[in-house]
Amino acid sequence: MHKFIPIIFFSSLFFSILVSAQTGNNTFKGHIKIPVLKEPITRGKGYNKDRTPIMHSDDPMAAPPRNVIVSVHPLSFDAAYEPTTDAFMTQKEQTFLPLVLPVTKGSTVYLLNEDQFFHNVFSLTPKARFNIGRRPPGNSYPQKIKKSGVIRLGCDIHTHMAGFILSLETPYFQRVDVNGNFQLQQLPDGRYRVEIYHPQLKKVTATIELKGGQTLTKNFDLSTRA
């Protein structure tokens, strides 16, 4: 009977080491500076030519700073993640809102039509191709996201429309606030690859290490990445 004790002991020790490698309560925060984009995001562009398109400043979810996504990807351990809940991408005034929707890989995104006319949603992104067909006002369509990376969306009725789903294999991500700030909390000890994404700018990456419940502040300047 005693001969099994070493096996149990070392198994428990291995489990403890594995768990301890994923413990910690670290914070990663900072500020992201983005440039003044050459073409502001508009709603209704190419439609209702007798009216002035609504500019992005009228809707915070269309404002460029709100569509900067910060994600941290563990390098020293495998992080478990669940499907993102309440993942909605709407079509409103011929605009995808939000412009960028971050979700975990495997999530179901609900595609909504809040306009008073038909819309379509399709993707030609390799390994993430789909076409939900033309949908009437008030329609909601569930689409499961099986690929990681950027998935570009379009509408075959209104060709000026574009939206982006950012599918991530990490539970640690955040949309920056209106001032360009972010703060990711309760991060386990370990090394991470930081990725900063905006569809109109070149992606920025960096490597960080967190341990011992620390707060790491790091700022990024995207104005040179346009």
Side-chain angles (χ1 to χ4, degrees):
M1 179 176 180
H2 294 289
K3 64 182 179 181
F4 294 106
I5 293 178
I7 297 177
I8 296 173
F9 172 77
F10 286 115
S11 296
S12 300
L13 179 61
F14 176 76
F15 179 76
S16 298
I17 293 172
L18 181 63
V19 170
S20 65
Q22 299 183 35
T23 59
N25 186 15
N26 303 286
T27 297
F28 176 50
K29 67 177 184 177
H31 174 78
I32 298 177
K33 179 181 178 181
I34 71 168
V36 177
L37 300 175
K38 297 178 181 178
E39 296 183 4
I41 301 166
T42 63
R43 293 189 289 174
K45 183 178 180 181
Y47 188 76
N48 295 337
K49 298 182 183 300
D50 59 338
R51 57 176 281 192
T52 302
I54 299 175
M55 306 304 287
H56 68 262
S57 58
D58 294 307
D59 193 317
M61 293 309 293
R66 296 309 314 278
N67 289 286
V68 175
I69 310 299
V70 180
S71 59
V72 293
H73 305 253
L75 298 175
S76 53
F77 65 93
D78 293 327
Y81 56 88
E82 299 291 333
T84 301
T85 58
D86 299 327
F88 296 97
M89 172 75 81
T90 190
Q91 293 168 294
K92 186 176 181 181
E93 297 189 42
Q94 292 190 60
T95 298
F96 283 103
L97 292 175
L99 176 66
V100 181
L101 177 66
V103 299
T104 53
K105 179 182 176 181
S107 300
T108 296
V109 173
Y110 292 89
L111 303 167
L112 311 178
N113 179 1
E114 293 189 85
D115 276 328
Q116 299 303 310
F117 39 79
F118 277 70
H119 274 304
N120 160 257
V121 183
F122 71 90
S123 168
L124 297 179
T125 302
K127 297 183 179 181
R129 294 174 179 263
F130 65 85
N131 191 325
I132 72 171
R134 300 191 173 195
R135 300 285 165 171
N139 184 263
S140 173
Y141 185 90
Q143 179 65 44
K144 188 167 185 177
I145 306 303
K146 301 179 181 179
K147 175 188 180 298
S148 60
V150 179
I151 300 169
R152 182 184 176 98
L153 306 179
C155 173
D156 66 7
I157 304 174
H158 310 99
T159 57
H160 64 276
M161 292 179 62
F164 304 86
I165 295 173
L166 181 60
S167 176
L168 301 165
E169 295 185 64
T170 176
Y172 312 119
F173 59 87
Q174 187 179 86
R175 183 189 305 276
V176 304
D177 67 18
V178 292
N179 298 311
N181 299 315
F182 68 91
Q183 181 168 296
L184 291 161
Q185 298 177 307
Q186 297 183 336
L187 298 174
D189 293 351
R191 295 177 61 249
Y192 295 85
R193 182 181 71 257
V194 180
E195 296 185 358
I196 301 174
Y197 172 80
H198 185 282
Q200 293 173 270
L201 303 171
K202 294 180 181 179
K203 184 169 69 175
V204 173
T205 61
T207 301
I208 61 171
E209 184 171 2
L210 301 170
K211 59 183 178 180
Q214 74 178 112
T215 295
L216 175 64
T217 300
K218 189 174 180 64
N219 300 323
F220 299 88
D221 186 354
L222 272 61
S223 62
T224 61
R225 301 277 177 159

